[in-house]
Amino acid sequence: MFLCYHSVADHGPPFLSVGQETFEQQLRTLSRLGFRSGGQDDLGGIVRGHRADARLVFLTFDDGYADNYTTARPLLDASGFRALIFLLPPAVDHGGMLDWPRVERHVTAYPDVMRSLTWPMVESMADTGHE
């Protein structure tokens, strides 16, 4: 199973953010149902035709929002889950606004949410098993 996220923020852009309480509830449900995090090695095995030996969930985060580190990471770590985070390296280089065509209104309305991870944040997450 794949669950795809962008931001975990109580007051973030609609369709890009999920609230912290909702995210925590989702993690608790996954744990209760016996899921474990899947990673790149698991994906490689599936691509090679190997059947997963556990109930896997791939928790993906697109674009590398700063709250992936500040909000999602502590919740993931506390629940034993790991994430696959897809970054926008030019944004991570300066840790600034996530601003591309079609999200300008979100940058204006949610400036605290529409921020990128920084390389030190990325490295810290990688050190604890997030990919």
Side-chain angles (χ1 to χ4, degrees):
M1 172 182 354
F2 285 81
L3 294 178
C4 306
Y5 301 95
H6 285 85
S7 164
V8 178
D10 289 332
H11 303 288
F15 306 108
L16 290 177
S17 293
V18 62
Q20 181 175 333
E21 186 176 318
T22 299
F23 185 64
E24 287 178 283
Q25 184 178 36
Q26 291 171 354
L27 295 175
R28 283 192 304 272
T29 300
L30 291 167
S31 183
R32 183 175 47 80
L33 294 174
F35 282 90
R36 76 165 178 84
S37 293
Q40 291 184 65
D41 289 342
D42 296 301
L43 285 172
I46 292 168
V47 167
R48 290 187 300 279
H50 300 208
R51 186 172 179 88
D53 60 353
R55 296 184 82 171
L56 296 179
V57 60
F58 296 91
L59 302 170
T60 69
F61 288 82
D62 288 345
D63 306 324
Y65 286 73
D67 61 48
N68 296 175
Y69 178 83
T70 59
T71 306
R73 176 196 179 169
L75 301 173
L76 290 161
D77 290 350
S79 64
F81 286 100
R82 297 292 171 256
L84 296 165
I85 302 170
F86 298 89
L87 303 172
L88 299 171
V92 178
D93 286 343
H94 59 82
M97 287 295 182
L98 292 169
D99 57 351
W100 55 86
R102 298 191 340 241
V103 299
E104 297 93 350
R105 73 183 194 285
H106 295 319
V107 172
T108 302
Y110 307 97
D112 293 340
V113 174
M114 298 297 294
R115 301 201 63 80
S116 174
L117 290 164
T118 64
W119 287 118
M121 290 174 171
V122 171
E123 291 167 4
S124 176
M125 292 182 81
D127 287 345
T128 58
H130 301 280
E131 301 178 62

